[in-house]
Amino acid sequence: MLDVRRLALLAAVVDTGSMTAAAEQLGYTPSAVSQQLRRLEVEAGQPLLHRQARGVRPTEAGAVLAGHARHVLRRLSAAEADLAELAGLRRGTIALGVFPTVASALLPQVVSRFRRQYPDLRLDVRSTRFDELVELLENGTVGIALLWDYAWNRVDVPDISLTPLLDDPTVLIVAADHRLARKRFTTMSELAGEEWIVRAHDHPVAEVLERSCRAAGFTPKIAFEANDYQEAQAMVSVGLGVALAPRTAVRNPNPDVRVLALGTDVPARRVLLAHRQDRLRAPAELAMHQLLVDVAREYQTKP
Amino acid sequence: MLDVRRLALLAAVVDTGSMTAAAEQLGYTPSAVSQQLRRLEVEAGQPLLHRQARGVRPTEAGAVLAGHARHVLRRLSAAEADLAELAGLRRGTIALGVFPTVASALLPQVVSRFRRQYPDLRLDVRSTRFDELVELLENGTVGIALLWDYAWNRVDVPDISLTPLLDDPTVLIVAADHRLARKRFTTMSELAGEEWIVRAHDHPVAEVLERSCRAAGFTPKIAFEANDYQEAQAMVSVGLGVALAPRTAVRNPNPDVRVLALGTDVPARRVLLAHRQDRLRAPAELAMHQLLVDVAREYQTKP
DNA sequence: ACGCCCATGAAGCGTTGCTTCACGCTCAAT
DNA sequence: ATTGAGCGTGAAGCAACGCTTCATGGGCGT
């Protein structure tokens, strides 16, 4: 393969008409240029320059080669420009993986701010289950994923770096006409007699309920298993029972229910930012990373 | 400037989907490929490949860069192909400088054979005076020039390499009704009483005449100075005198004159092939060089 | 005739890029 | 569960390459 640096030298020499001028332009000594061009001529098997008293002139082969060199150099510049655009966040794609509840709470803010701050970047959001999120992260389909865990079961995936974003406290949902509906705060021990709405029995919130009730000294009576938090709220609203939920899941509650804070003894869900720990990360990923940290902090302070 | 060899590596890796496969394809060890790609990533400031358990996959930046790489490689191949075409005499131009008398004698054969042998090469012929030929040769306008000289004034130009092509003996031109017209051969001593047609008095043939007559013991009487050999023949044909000429100049003589050979004591013109002694010569020049040597040899043996 | 500009050469030094050898990991077959 | 094949990666070392420095020679303009 022809050496492109030599070709660049040739093009400069042909343009300037002199080896010395080309050397100066490219920051070399004339000797280096002369040596490289000689090698290029040997490689080419034919002379590329006519040596004249005053500078040099390309031969036919030299002119042809210089023409190709210019094209190659242009293309290399374009490649560098593309890299610079990707690095400068004026181009590129960031794929973000999220789970449904955080999607509805945090994402509107994330998306709108991202659009404003990086109008040239493309943002792909995929919302799916926890385990698929990890998979997407591992095979590079998404650059960043939002995950969650609870204190008794911390997420730990090899080669995945985690940054806690926010604590998502567990709250109590009661019907608007519930005896506690006018309070802003309560504790588990107040709820010993309640019937409970949970999501699927294998859903983490069910375990939160189990543990909290056990800590408060009673066993919850499960009245209904809902498929999502909308359904859970609906059941609560008609007085079928009360429910626990991460606060982000009830940012905009059903008007017929009330949301009460619980003590810190009730486990909180933790939301984490996850990415593969590559030694080098795509600029767009770094940008999204920072943006998520910012949005989460603001969300935490003024919910 | 991005290193094209690294880009080639990247393209191969992206194509094959594996560093090892790319390494094998390009004759490197996997380790070398891995090291080079890592450097390229550092240069790019962002990851180019997603390392997976089974091979690798390009990131967005990697795909972009690989695309540019493919263009660059194509262009380099085209450049090499062009050089090969020039070297393989399937393309290119050869400029030949000649002087008028050899042009008419040797050139038809040269041109027709060149056309036949190298149909893809372009042939430029420039016919001009001796000193301008040297100039054209020195500044590269022509790659090969045909020159001539006489024994007493050998051509010698610095940095110009000379190859004798043929000896062009001096012949005698007489009118068809001249007393020697029926002979094929004569000597200068037979011509002591003649009147002479010469070309310009500073023309070399005038000096040939001077020297030959002096050697034969007489001084020529100049009857006319002609501008070219056609004019000289015309003057001879009407009996104004006899003339000397290089044989190649009267290949197709005027029907009203006769051409006689002279002894070897009359100086012969020497025709030479001249080229700049570059350490590397264009393939088309080498081809033309050889062709001229061949044509000259044949011309010499069966004129 | 002088100085200036240009291309070029030999020698030497620093960098680079490769190979070799070894390791850790994942997947699939036994 | 174990083994083996395939893949990427790392440290060390060696050879080649490309540059600089210093010096030479030729042609041009003042």
Side-chain angles (χ1 to χ4, degrees), chain A residues 246-267:
Chain A
R247 187 165 59 192
T248 53
V250 289
R251 277 278 276 177
N252 302 301
N254 183 319
D256 296 327
V257 306
R258 296 296 178 269
V259 175
L260 282 75
L262 287 167
T264 51
D265 53 330
V266 180

Side-chain angles (χ1 to χ4, degrees), chain A residues 150 152 167-173 188 205 208-209 212 243-248 259-263 266-269:
Chain A
Y150 286 94
W152 64 81
D167 284 316
D168 191 5
T170 299
V171 293
L172 177 72
I173 312 173
M188 287 305 291
V205 167
V208 174
L209 180 61
S212 301
L244 295 184
R247 187 165 59 192
T248 53
V259 175
L260 282 75
L262 287 167
V266 180
R269 183 172 74 169

Side-chain angles (χ1 to χ4, degrees), chain B residues 4 32 44 52 77 113 142 147 186 217 222 256 258-259 265 277 297:
Chain B
V4 172
Q52 295 176 310
S77 293
R113 189 182 298 201
V142 302
L147 303 180
T186 186
I222 306 301
D256 297 328
R258 296 292 179 267
V259 175
D265 52 331
Q277 48 190 18
R297 180 168 40 236

Side-chain angles (χ1 to χ4, degrees), chain A residues 216-240:
Chain A
F218 65 92
T219 302
K221 294 189 293 260
I222 306 300
F224 190 79
E225 291 189 0
N227 287 311
D228 56 45
Y229 291 110
Q230 287 304 316
E231 194 175 303
Q233 289 180 66
M235 295 306 147
V236 169
S237 73
V238 296
L240 200 61

